[in-house]
Amino acid sequence: MPTALITGITGQDGSYLVEHLLEKGYEVYGLVRRLSTPNETRIRASLDRLVVLEGDVTDQSSLNVAVQTAMPDEVYNLAAQSFVATSWNQPVLTGDVTGLGVVRMLEAVRHFSPDARFYQASSSEMFGTSPQPLKNEATPFHPRSPYAVAKVYGHYATINYRESYGLYCCNGICFNHESPRRGIEFVTKKISDGVARIACGRANELRLGNLDVRRDWGFAGDYVKAMWLMLQRDEPADYVIATGESHSVREFAALAFDHVGLNWEQYVKIDERFMRPAEVPDLKGDASQARAKLGWAPETSFEALVHMMVDADVARYNQA
């Protein structure tokens, strides 16, 4: 039975990945931070089938113990301070968790499980304002937030450990991927939750920032399959994971409101508080290498993703 260790297991991606690995017969270990109130909502259905280890990517000793305990065949490093807006208010913390946290995990693997295959969750935000309209693995990075800068650091650290120590390390440069399990601080979840609240009579407006920002949005459940596929290849490599389409925040909102029979223009208000110091206007990815070498392709359309998120939030409010 193969063994996997996942950091960030309580997050959106971690919860989908643990389900995917359990379906494939893995023994799964998940690293969680010690909190006064455990954050197990997303993995509650899988808790009885996985081993939870306490640790933190800012604490080297806890990572060493986690790797020694799990002795994993595969390590998926998904832990991060992953909210771009928060990275402007907490840039040092973001650098420590999202950047240096990668090196700490790599060090733990190098010393205690050097044959393990390592996946690093890189981000499309690393491309920033790079002028190439369709981003691929060769596109230069131009990060535009502390979060993106930290991700670039982790990305190159992963390549460095692959080239310097011969570790099997892959970077998955994932473009935006959403789901009903997305955190409320992300604009997609803010929209689906806001639409549900309005549809259920609990609110009468939705405040958003820049509606013209465009992103390549896919379904997180599809993207974790690509993460697993990367670690099944004979040789490690880095891959862009994306749909190849970009849509604006305005389009997302319009689709979400339309799904419940409402006109978005009657409810959406622009709020300057949600504007960022530096914005990336458009991100769109070219996943042709993942298609060719991994046999991966997104299975969920943009419209289906929006409808899925709205339906889940409407159902949640109707049950409350």
Side-chain angles (χ1 to χ4, degrees):
M1 176 187 294
T3 301
L5 171 62
I6 305 172
T7 71
I9 198 169
T10 60
Q12 170 189 255
D13 293 6
S15 68
Y16 281 109
L17 180 60
V18 69
E19 291 169 6
H20 186 61
L21 295 180
L22 287 172
E23 287 176 5
K24 291 191 170 293
Y26 278 66
E27 181 179 12
V28 179
Y29 290 78
L31 192 75
V32 299
R33 283 181 297 155
R34 174 77 176 122
L35 299 171
S36 56
T37 304
N39 177 26
E40 298 173 343
T41 305
R42 296 184 180 94
I43 59 169
R44 189 168 293 144
S46 304
L47 271 175
D48 62 342
R49 295 186 293 155
L50 60 90
V51 181
V52 174
L53 304 174
E54 286 190 2
D56 194 304
V57 294
T58 63
D59 177 55
Q60 184 69 61
S61 62
S62 69
L63 302 183
N64 295 347
V65 170
V67 171
Q68 288 175 288
T69 301
M71 291 307 294
D73 299 298
E74 298 170 6
V75 176
Y76 296 86
N77 186 44
L78 310 183
Q81 189 302 99
S82 58
F83 188 38
V84 174
T86 297
S87 76
W88 289 103
N89 296 325
Q90 301 182 49
V92 176
L93 174 68
T94 300
D96 194 19
V97 175
T98 307
L100 285 173
V102 182
V103 174
R104 295 188 188 101
M105 277 305 304
L106 286 164
E107 278 290 282
V109 170
R110 179 170 78 91
H111 287 291
F112 301 107
S113 191
D115 292 329
R117 297 187 170 196
F118 183 89
Y119 171 85
Q120 166 58 19
S122 286
S123 168
S124 61
E125 290 290 327
M126 301 187 305
F127 293 122
T129 52
S130 182
Q132 185 174 324
L134 198 60
K135 323 296 185 189
N136 60 31
E137 293 80 5
T139 303
F141 298 138
H142 189 169
R144 294 284 283 164
S145 69
Y147 166 76
V149 171
K151 279 294 187 183
V152 169
Y153 179 91
H155 180 90
Y156 279 122
T158 301
I159 293 173
N160 190 254
Y161 273 65
R162 181 170 73 212
E163 296 177 350
S164 301
Y165 297 116
L167 298 183
Y168 188 111
C169 298
C170 298
N171 285 297
I173 310 173
C174 291
F175 279 66
N176 293 62
H177 45 291
E178 320 296 319
S179 76
R181 302 178 191 175
R182 196 56 145 153
I184 192 64
E185 65 270 23
F186 293 87
V187 68
T188 51
K189 182 66 171 182
K190 185 177 180 181
I191 292 171
S192 66
D193 180 79
V195 167
R197 286 172 59 84
I198 292 168
C200 295
R202 301 190 180 207
N204 53 27
E205 69 174 21
L206 174 60
R207 293 186 169 270
L208 298 172
N210 189 346
L211 300 183
D212 296 320
V213 169
R214 301 181 65 87
R215 289 292 182 270
D216 186 327
W217 277 304
F219 173 48
D222 293 342
Y223 283 43
V224 299
K225 297 175 183 177
M227 298 174 189
W228 177 78
L229 286 167
M230 286 180 211
L231 299 194
Q232 311 315 307
R233 298 277 297 174
D234 290 338
E235 298 295 331
D238 306 322
Y239 297 88
V240 164
I241 305 300
T243 70
E245 303 175 2
S246 69
H247 300 272
S248 67
V249 173
R250 180 181 283 101
E251 288 177 74
F252 197 107
L255 258 179
F257 275 100
D258 183 67
H259 189 53
V260 295
L262 298 175
N263 183 348
W264 72 273
E265 293 178 297
Q266 296 177 7
Y267 300 97
V268 172
K269 310 294 181 187
I270 304 301
D271 193 326
E272 294 294 327
R273 292 177 300 168
F274 301 124
M275 299 294 186
R276 294 175 183 171
E279 188 59 87
V280 178
D282 192 2
L283 280 175
K284 183 163 57 175
D286 174 9
S288 56
Q289 178 168 287
R291 290 175 184 268
K293 294 185 177 181
L294 304 180
W296 178 87
E299 301 169 24
T300 310
S301 70
F302 174 66
E303 183 176 9
L305 172 65
V306 176
H307 291 176
M308 177 198 309
M309 294 179 68
V310 172
D311 287 342
D313 285 329
V314 168
R316 179 166 51 88
Y317 280 116
N318 282 335
Q319 292 168 4

